Coordinates of all heavy atoms in Angstrom, one line a residue:
E728 N 32.6 9.3 14.2 CA 31.6 8.6 15.0 C 32.3 8.0 16.2 O 32.9 6.9 16.1 CB 31.0 7.4 14.2 CG 30.3 7.9 12.9 CD 29.2 6.9 12.6 OE1 29.5 5.7 12.4 OE2 28.0 7.3 12.5
P729 N 32.3 8.7 17.3 CA 32.9 8.1 18.5 C 32.2 6.8 18.8 O 30.9 6.8 18.9 CB 32.6 9.1 19.6 CG 31.8 10.2 19.0 CD 31.6 10.0 17.6
I730 N 32.9 5.7 19.0 CA 32.3 4.4 19.1 C 31.4 4.3 20.3 O 30.3 3.7 20.2 CB 33.4 3.3 19.2 CG1 34.3 3.3 18.0 CG2 32.8 1.9 19.5 CD1 35.6 2.5 18.1
W731 N 31.8 5.0 21.4 CA 31.0 5.0 22.6 C 29.6 5.7 22.5 O 28.8 5.6 23.3 CB 31.8 5.5 23.8 CG 32.4 6.9 23.5 CD1 33.6 7.1 22.9 CD2 31.8 8.1 23.7 NE1 33.8 8.4 22.7 CE2 32.8 9.1 23.3 CE3 30.6 8.6 24.3 CZ2 32.5 10.5 23.4 CZ3 30.4 9.9 24.4 CH2 31.3 10.8 24.0
A732 N 29.5 6.5 21.4 CA 28.3 7.3 21.2 C 27.3 6.5 20.3 O 26.1 6.9 20.1 CB 28.6 8.6 20.6
I733 N 27.8 5.5 19.6 CA 26.9 4.8 18.6 C 25.9 3.9 19.3 O 26.3 3.0 20.1 CB 27.8 4.0 17.7 CG1 28.6 4.9 16.8 CG2 26.9 3.1 16.8 CD1 29.6 4.2 15.9
G734 N 24.6 4.2 19.1 CA 23.5 3.4 19.7 C 23.4 3.4 21.2 O 22.7 2.6 21.8
T735 N 24.1 4.4 21.9 CA 24.0 4.4 23.3 C 23.2 5.5 23.9 O 22.9 5.5 25.1 CB 25.5 4.6 23.9 OG1 26.0 5.8 23.3 CG2 26.4 3.4 23.5
G736 N 22.8 6.5 23.1 CA 22.2 7.7 23.6 C 23.1 8.7 24.2 O 22.7 9.8 24.5
L737 N 24.4 8.3 24.2 CA 25.4 9.3 24.7 C 26.0 10.1 23.5 O 26.1 9.6 22.4 CB 26.6 8.5 25.3 CG 26.3 7.6 26.5 CD1 27.5 6.8 26.9 CD2 25.8 8.4 27.7
T738 N 26.3 11.3 23.8 CA 27.0 12.1 22.7 C 28.1 12.9 23.4 O 28.1 13.2 24.6 CB 26.0 13.1 22.1 OG1 25.4 13.9 23.1 CG2 25.0 12.5 21.2
P739 N 29.1 13.2 22.6 CA 30.2 14.1 23.1 C 29.6 15.5 23.4 O 28.5 15.8 22.9 CB 31.2 14.2 22.0 CG 30.8 13.2 21.0 CD 29.4 12.9 21.2
T740 N 30.3 16.3 24.2 CA 29.9 17.7 24.3 C 30.0 18.4 23.0 O 30.8 18.0 22.1 CB 30.7 18.4 25.4 OG1 32.1 18.5 24.9 CG2 30.7 17.7 26.7
I741 N 29.3 19.5 22.9 CA 29.4 20.3 21.7 C 30.9 20.8 21.5 O 31.4 20.9 20.4 CB 28.5 21.5 21.8 CG1 27.0 21.0 21.7 CG2 28.7 22.6 20.7 CD1 26.7 20.2 20.5
Y742 N 31.5 21.1 22.6 CA 32.9 21.5 22.6 C 33.8 20.4 22.0 O 34.7 20.7 21.2 CB 33.4 21.9 24.0 CG 34.9 22.1 24.1 CD1 35.4 23.3 23.7 CD2 35.7 21.1 24.5 CE1 36.8 23.5 23.7 CE2 37.1 21.3 24.5 CZ 37.6 22.5 24.1 OH 39.0 22.6 24.0
D743 N 33.6 19.2 22.4 CA 34.4 18.1 22.0 C 34.2 17.8 20.5 O 35.1 17.5 19.7 CB 34.1 16.8 22.7 CG 34.7 16.8 24.1 OD1 35.7 17.6 24.3 OD2 34.3 16.1 25.0
I744 N 32.9 17.9 20.0 CA 32.6 17.7 18.6 C 33.3 18.8 17.8 O 33.9 18.6 16.8 CB 31.1 17.7 18.3 CG1 30.4 16.5 19.0 CG2 30.8 17.7 16.8 CD1 28.9 16.5 18.9
A745 N 33.2 20.1 18.3 CA 33.8 21.2 17.6 C 35.3 21.0 17.5 O 35.9 21.3 16.4 CB 33.5 22.5 18.3
E746 N 35.9 20.6 18.6 CA 37.4 20.4 18.6 C 37.8 19.3 17.6 O 38.7 19.5 16.8 CB 37.8 20.0 20.0 CG 39.3 19.8 20.1 CD 39.8 19.2 21.4 OE1 39.2 18.3 21.9 OE2 40.8 19.7 21.9
M747 N 37.1 18.2 17.6 CA 37.4 17.1 16.7 C 37.2 17.5 15.3 O 38.1 17.2 14.4 CB 36.6 15.8 17.0 CG 36.9 14.6 16.2 SD 38.6 14.1 16.3 CE 38.5 13.1 17.9
H748 N 36.1 18.1 14.9 CA 35.9 18.5 13.5 C 36.9 19.5 13.1 O 37.3 19.5 11.9 CB 34.4 18.9 13.3 CG 33.5 17.7 13.2 ND1 32.7 17.5 12.1 CD2 33.2 16.7 14.1 CE1 32.0 16.3 12.3 NE2 32.3 15.9 13.5
G749 N 37.2 20.5 13.9 CA 38.2 21.5 13.6 C 39.5 20.9 13.3 O 40.2 21.2 12.3
E750 N 39.9 19.9 14.1 CA 41.2 19.2 14.0 C 41.2 18.4 12.7 O 42.2 18.3 12.0 CB 41.5 18.4 15.2 CG 41.9 19.1 16.4 CD 43.2 20.0 16.2 OE1 44.2 19.5 15.6 OE2 43.2 21.2 16.6
M751 N 40.1 17.7 12.5 CA 40.0 16.9 11.2 C 40.2 17.7 10.0 O 40.9 17.4 9.1 CB 38.7 16.1 11.2 CG 38.6 14.9 12.2 SD 37.0 14.2 12.4 CE 36.4 14.0 10.8
R752 N 39.5 18.9 10.0 CA 39.6 19.8 8.8 C 41.1 20.2 8.7 O 41.6 20.2 7.5 CB 38.7 21.0 9.0 CG 38.8 22.0 7.9 CD 38.0 21.5 6.6 NE 36.6 21.3 6.9 CZ 35.8 20.5 6.2 NH1 36.2 19.9 5.1 NH2 34.5 20.4 6.5
K753 N 41.8 20.5 9.8 CA 43.2 20.9 9.7 C 44.0 19.8 9.1 O 44.9 20.0 8.3 CB 43.7 21.4 11.1 CG 43.4 22.8 11.4 CD 44.2 23.2 12.6 CE 43.3 23.9 13.6 NZ 43.7 23.8 15.0
M754 N 43.8 18.6 9.6 CA 44.6 17.5 9.2 C 44.4 17.2 7.7 O 45.4 17.0 6.9 CB 44.2 16.1 9.9 CG 44.4 16.1 11.4 SD 43.6 14.5 11.9 CE 43.1 15.0 13.6
L755 N 43.2 17.3 7.2 CA 42.9 17.1 5.8 C 43.5 18.1 4.9 O 44.0 17.8 3.9 CB 41.3 17.0 5.6 CG 40.7 15.8 6.3 CD1 39.1 15.9 6.2 CD2 41.1 14.5 5.7
V756 N 43.3 19.4 5.4 CA 43.9 20.5 4.5 C 45.4 20.4 4.5 O 46.0 20.6 3.4 CB 43.4 21.9 5.1 CG1 44.1 23.0 4.4 CG2 41.9 22.0 4.8
A757 N 46.0 20.0 5.6 CA 47.5 19.9 5.7 C 47.9 18.8 4.7 O 49.0 19.0 4.0 CB 47.9 19.5 7.1
R758 N 47.2 17.7 4.5 CA 47.6 16.7 3.6 C 47.1 16.9 2.2 O 47.9 16.6 1.2 CB 47.1 15.3 4.1 CG 47.5 14.2 3.2 CD 47.2 12.8 3.8 NE 47.2 11.8 2.8 CZ 46.6 10.6 2.9 NH1 46.1 10.3 4.0 NH2 46.6 9.8 1.9
F759 N 45.9 17.3 2.0 CA 45.3 17.3 0.7 C 45.1 18.7 0.1 O 44.7 18.8 -1.1 CB 43.9 16.6 0.7 CG 44.0 15.2 1.1 CD1 43.6 14.8 2.4 CD2 44.4 14.2 0.2 CE1 43.6 13.5 2.8 CE2 44.5 12.9 0.6 CZ 44.1 12.5 1.9
G760 N 45.4 19.8 0.9 CA 45.3 21.1 0.4 C 43.9 21.6 0.2 O 43.0 21.1 0.9
A761 N 43.7 22.5 -0.8 CA 42.4 23.1 -0.9 C 41.2 22.2 -1.1 O 40.1 22.4 -0.7 CB 42.4 24.1 -2.1
A762 N 41.5 21.0 -1.8 CA 40.4 20.0 -2.1 C 39.7 19.6 -0.8 O 38.5 19.4 -0.8 CB 41.0 18.8 -2.8

Side-chain angles (χ1 to χ4, degrees):
E728 299 208 304
I730 297 167
W731 52 272
I733 294 176
T735 59
L737 302 172
T738 52
T740 65
I741 292 303
Y742 170 82
D743 286 337
I744 296 174
E746 180 186 44
M747 181 61 80
H748 279 241
E750 286 301 315
M751 285 167 50
R752 182 72 62 198
K753 276 192 226 155
M754 295 172 212
L755 294 172
V756 171
R758 177 170 163 200
F759 298 103

